[in-house]
Amino acid sequence: MMPPREFLMPAQVLIGSGAAEQVGAQCQKRGWKKALIVSDKIMLSLGLVGKVEQYLADSGIASAVYAGVNTEPVVEYVQEGLQVYKEGNCDFVVAVGGGSPIDTAKAIAVLVTNPGSIEQYKGIGKIGAPGVPVVAIPTTAGTGSEATVYTVITDQKTDVKMLIGSPYLMPTIAIVDPMLTVSSPQSVTAATGVDALVHAIEAYVSVKRQPMTDIFCLSAIRLIAQSIRQAWANGNNMEAREQMMLGAFQAGVAFSNSSVALVHGMSRPIGAHFHIAHGVSNAALLAVVTEFSLIGDPLRYAQIAEAMGEPVQGLSMMEAADRVVHAIRRLVSDIKIPSLRQLGVERERLIELAPSMADAAIDSGSPANNPRKPTRQEIIDLYVKAYDEA
């Protein structure tokens, strides 16, 4: 018998080209009066923040803007945005951008109604009360943060990426508009796309998986595998952009309800110490961690290989599972995601930090969800192997 499982999604989801134009009308229906728009300088310069301001204004909704999220989210951004929210007498938050603005917005929203600073909520289930409403409008097809109960905020004092999880972090409305991804540069399309693929793969093999998430995972893997190269090669390919956006959203729903695993656990310390984009560090680890993990659930990895379009008919289960590793390496090469070495990471420095990075990975809890449970030493060895094999 299957035990009862909770399955969470945003209360409302709008998907499709032009969906962002409905933000004002949807917020007006709910009686919201003034938004804090959380974004970054790039979205500001591209005019996307201005468009959202206008869509809100057209429905009689005022707004204030905090566009200071210019790296992966840190405690300072949350504090600054919260101050703008309070000074502006806002009553809800709209995030416009990639995972960084969305994660920052979610943290701001819960601090409006919960005391203290965001650091004290590190971990799972520590947020005591619902935050103010959040409308998430992603401009990349990757993080899935518009559909998750998580936010990741870096504490710059300790160089630790804090994973914070709570049902109260789920956005109220997700507006998934592929038109907003057209301006993404190739490097962002590649990194965020692989991030989404990792979400789907890890959610499918996670020991916390459930039947509902399996459906979203396999659909996301198929959509991303068949469209990421085209979206990277031609940013104006709207069919590919639409498939990527839908796949990234589905992957976000999936991992929010079944959790990620070893890749994500190991990836966060790389980002914290070497300031490498999350999707890029995922890409650096994915092949070697998958190869390590295959034996823990070869059937599931074989099914992933098939979903990625690999020829598996006539192969043994382990042979079919192994096709995933080849598919990942080929994909990362095709869309030219740089290796840790190419990004200037020094091998000696990585080896020096690997033990503490392994400890941080284990502390995150994600490696415990992996189909093959790694030891601390195996995680250290995997960091070095990922560097050497690239």
Side-chain angles (χ1 to χ4, degrees), residues 138-166:
T139 59
T140 62
T143 70
S145 187
E146 72 276 5
T148 77
V149 296
Y150 301 107
T151 185
V152 178
I153 307 294
T154 298
D155 184 346
Q156 290 176 300
K157 295 175 184 175
T158 60
D159 263 351
V160 170
K161 282 193 169 188
M162 301 180 295
L163 176 66
I164 303 167
S166 167

Side-chain angles (χ1 to χ4, degrees), residues 145 178 204 212 247:
S145 187
Y204 193 64
M212 282 289 289

Side-chain angles (χ1 to χ4, degrees), residues 51-73:
K51 286 184 179 180
V52 171
E53 286 184 280
Q54 189 60 55
Y55 296 149
L56 291 168
D58 290 345
S59 295
I61 297 173
S63 58
V65 174
Y66 172 67
V69 185
N70 296 310
T71 63
E72 292 197 354

Side-chain angles (χ1 to χ4, degrees), residues 84-311:
V84 176
Y85 180 98
K86 291 178 176 178
E87 291 175 351
N89 294 314
C90 302
D91 62 345
F92 72 108
V93 181
V94 177
V96 181
S100 295
I102 296 175
D103 275 8
T104 303
K106 290 158 74 169
I108 291 168
V110 295
L111 285 187
V112 173
T113 56
N114 290 273
S117 59
I118 197 65
E119 300 100 300
Q120 71 193 62
Y121 298 106
K122 177 185 175 183
I124 306 299
K126 295 182 180 179
I127 299 172
V132 297
V134 173
V135 180
I137 307 177
T139 59
T140 62
T143 70
S145 187
E146 72 276 5
T148 77
V149 296
Y150 301 107
T151 185
V152 178
I153 307 294
T154 298
D155 184 346
Q156 290 176 300
K157 295 175 184 175
T158 60
D159 263 351
V160 170
K161 282 193 169 188
M162 301 180 295
L163 176 66
I164 303 167
S166 167
Y168 298 139
L169 288 168
M170 179 66 75
T172 308
I173 302 176
I175 298 180
V176 184
D177 187 342
M179 293 293 293
L180 303 184
T181 68
V182 172
S183 59
S184 292
Q186 279 189 315
S187 60
V188 173
T189 297
T192 58
V194 170
D195 189 21
L197 181 63
V198 177
H199 290 155
I201 289 173
E202 293 209 297
Y204 193 64
V205 300
S206 167
V207 298
K208 293 183 178 179
R209 64 182 181 263
Q210 54 171 300
M212 282 289 289
T213 59
D214 284 352
I215 296 168
F216 280 80
C217 289
L218 289 177
S219 177
I221 291 167
R222 290 188 190 100
L223 287 167
I224 295 166
Q226 70 189 17
S227 60
I228 186 170
R229 289 175 175 85
Q230 295 92 321
W232 176 85
N234 177 8
N236 292 313
N237 183 330
M238 284 311 302
E239 182 179 358
R241 289 291 194 188
E242 288 171 357
Q243 289 183 334
M244 285 299 300
M245 204 67 167
L246 179 57
F249 173 77
Q250 290 176 343
V253 172
F255 90 81
S256 182
N257 286 281
S258 70
S259 191
V260 288
L262 182 55
V263 173
H264 271 77
M266 292 179 62
S267 176
R268 294 187 196 101
I270 291 178
H273 285 288
F274 297 103
H275 308 292
I276 291 171
H278 179 62
V280 175
S281 56
N282 275 347
L285 295 166
L286 183 54
V288 296
V289 170
T290 299
E291 189 172 42
F292 168 84
S293 305
L294 292 177
I295 197 169
D297 200 337
L299 175 59
R300 290 238 153 195
Y301 283 106
Q303 291 166 340
I304 291 168
E306 186 173 14
M308 290 185 72
E310 289 295 301

Side-chain angles (χ1 to χ4, degrees), residues 2 4 9 27 56 67 92 161 187 235 282 294 348 353 357 366 376 379:
M2 182 176 68
M9 288 179 61
C27 295
L56 291 168
F92 72 108
K161 282 193 169 188
S187 60
N282 275 347
L294 292 177
E348 293 75 15
L353 289 171
M357 290 166 60
S366 297
R376 179 176 183 268
I379 292 175

